[in-house]
Amino acid sequence: MLKMRGIWAKAERYFSPIDFAMVMATGILSIAALLEGYIWLAKVLYFIDVVLFAILLLFMLRRVLFQWTAFRQDLKSYEKGPSLFTFIVAMCIIGDQVVLFHHEYVLGRSILVIAFVVWLLINYSFFFSITITEQKKSLKDGINGGWLLSVVALQALAILTVYTSEHSEAALFLATCLFFTGCVFYLYLISLIIYRISFFELHAQDLGAAYWINMGATAITALAGSLIVLNRGDFQLVTVLSPFIKGLTLLFWSAGTWWIPLLIMLGIWRHIIRKVKAPITAQGYNPTYWAFVFPLGMYTASTFRLSEMFELPFLKVIPRYFIFFGLITWCALMIGLFSRLLAKKSEANE
């Protein structure tokens, strides 16, 4: 019992909002497993996801209530501010699972409303703060792949809106607007990110898993577009826009596919050539690495839905095997997480 209390205390002490990426990663792998027909695995991951979300939500509430000044500073930070969007995405994915596993549309809509309100607060607080601040950061120091979490949050809201719409035209209209807004913001931000990594010095320590969100943001955009088209029903607006949405969806899926080999090469350079410790170890673990697992699961789910939208069954060979890369990586990070918690406890005893 004392050992568990010690681990709990360490977990809360080292909590940061980016930890919600763990919920994002576990949740989308659960959904991907459900789509692929691995029902037992999907349910196990779903259970783990709910437990993780409940624990992290408790940590988050305690931080907001008892460390408000530190939380507000994080919200205004170029580095930490974007990580708060993981909370919104995590809520949306929990909502997706509630609908997909239990068909609880009322509960799903309740989660959507809460997520949307939180998004309004975080989104506009963050962008307002960095706009008016007198302590501006340079492009080199101020932006990284984590900023694309703002795009992921928009598309996560769009997806949950579709899942809970029950063919409501108002809901589908909202989902379509969120989808288009996410597309625009991705194009804005990825231009700056590519400029930053191409024309400024970048060290191995800088090239963390956050840059996998470059691909994850395209994958969730493709998933949102596919679901809007697949669930359009008789809504005339989406029917008219379907060719355009399909084109954008394929564009983003293709862009995400392009990113994968480059990101793998950069990962090999980072960990093998530059000797940055792997996240499977206590010393190498960092919660940002969950932003590496999430894109793998999201690419699996988005490819599955894309193949349905275009009626291209040959594409389903990708999610059939890609899901295992996500699961292996998820297991490796879980080992790293528990290794870190146990190691920290050992250090404290020493």
Side-chain angles (χ1 to χ4, degrees):
M1 182 62 71
L2 291 175
K3 182 181 290 187
M4 289 301 299
R5 287 180 180 174
I7 293 173
W8 178 275
K10 298 297 183 298
E12 184 171 7
R13 183 190 309 171
Y14 291 101
F15 166 78
S16 67
I18 194 65
D19 285 317
F20 279 102
M22 191 189 318
V23 177
M24 293 164 50
T26 308
I28 194 58
L29 282 174
S30 171
I31 292 171
L34 181 67
L35 294 176
E36 284 297 316
Y38 302 116
I39 307 300
W40 64 271
L41 177 60
K43 289 182 178 179
V44 169
L45 290 172
Y46 173 40
F47 174 77
I48 294 172
D49 204 37
V50 172
V51 172
L52 289 173
F53 182 75
I55 293 171
L56 294 176
L57 179 61
L58 178 61
F59 291 168
M60 182 77 156
L61 291 175
R62 287 172 64 88
R63 184 173 177 82
V64 172
L65 292 174
F66 301 113
Q67 301 177 29
W68 171 249
T69 302
F71 178 80
R72 189 174 61 180
Q73 290 303 314
D74 287 349
L75 184 58
K76 297 178 179 180
S77 168
Y78 280 78
E79 296 84 6
K80 297 181 180 180
S83 68
L84 290 166
F85 286 104
T86 59
F87 178 52
I88 300 160
V89 182
M91 275 196 293
C92 289
I93 288 182
I94 290 291
D96 297 339
Q97 291 171 297
V98 164
V99 173
L100 290 172
F101 283 90
H102 304 297
H103 306 290
E104 291 285 350
Y105 293 97
V106 175
L107 179 57
R109 277 191 287 271
S110 300
I111 295 172
L112 173 62
V113 170
I114 296 170
F116 193 80
V117 171
V118 174
W119 173 79
L120 287 173
L121 294 173
I122 291 177
N123 182 75
Y124 287 102
S125 296
F126 172 67
F127 284 107
F128 177 77
S129 297
I130 63 170
T131 299
I132 66 170
T133 184
E134 296 178 355
Q135 300 176 337
K136 299 282 188 181
K137 293 224 171 182
S138 66
L139 180 64
K140 176 180 181 295
D141 298 322
I143 197 169
N144 58 53
W147 277 54
L148 287 170
L149 285 167
S150 61
V151 174
V152 176
L154 281 165
Q155 302 297 8
L157 287 167
I159 290 168
L160 183 53
T161 302
V162 172
Y163 277 137
T164 58
S165 68
E166 295 186 284
H167 302 296
S168 164
E169 292 187 355
L172 288 170
F173 176 78
L174 175 61
T176 304
C177 291
L178 289 168
F179 167 73
F180 284 140
T181 305
C183 291
V184 171
F185 266 84
Y186 182 85
L187 296 176
Y188 286 160
L189 293 173
I190 199 64
S191 300
L192 297 174
I193 291 168
I194 290 177
Y195 182 77
R196 186 260 182 271
I197 65 177
S198 300
F199 295 99
F200 294 98
E201 186 178 6
L202 196 65
H203 300 289
Q205 293 291 348
D206 301 324
L207 252 179
Y211 282 97
W212 271 86
I213 304 173
N214 296 0
M215 187 274 277
T218 62
I220 195 171
T221 300
L223 179 59
S226 299
L227 288 173
I228 288 170
V229 172
L230 289 169
N231 293 274
R232 68 183 182 275
D234 297 324
F235 188 25
Q236 182 66 19
L237 176 65
V238 178
T239 300
V240 171
L241 289 173
S242 284
F244 182 54
I245 296 174
K246 286 181 177 181
L248 269 180
T249 300
L250 184 59
L251 183 151
F252 276 91
W253 181 84
S254 301
T257 304
W258 179 89
W259 272 109
I260 294 173
L262 177 60
L263 291 168
I264 291 173
M265 291 167 64
L266 291 172
I268 292 171
W269 173 76
R270 171 182 163 87
H271 292 292
I272 296 179
I273 298 177
R274 294 300 184 183
K275 307 297 183 183
V276 175
K277 290 185 180 296
I280 197 171
T281 64
Q283 297 78 18
Y285 174 82
N286 189 294
T288 59
Y289 279 104
W290 291 105
F292 169 56
V293 182
F294 173 76
L296 297 177
M298 187 55 72
Y299 186 77
T300 300
S302 67
T303 305
F304 188 96
R305 292 301 191 189
L306 184 86
S307 68
E308 289 185 333
M309 181 182 68
F310 284 116
E311 298 181 358
L312 299 174
F314 64 84
L315 279 178
K316 286 190 177 177
V317 70
I318 296 175
R320 188 178 305 152
Y321 297 104
F322 209 84
I323 187 174
F324 295 108
F325 291 106
L327 290 170
I328 291 169
T329 310
W330 183 88
C331 291
L333 280 182
M334 274 296 174
I335 293 171
L337 169 62
F338 283 105
S339 297
R340 183 191 183 196
L341 291 175
L342 294 172
K344 290 294 181 183
K345 180 169 174 54
S346 298
E347 289 170 11
N349 288 337
E350 290 173 5

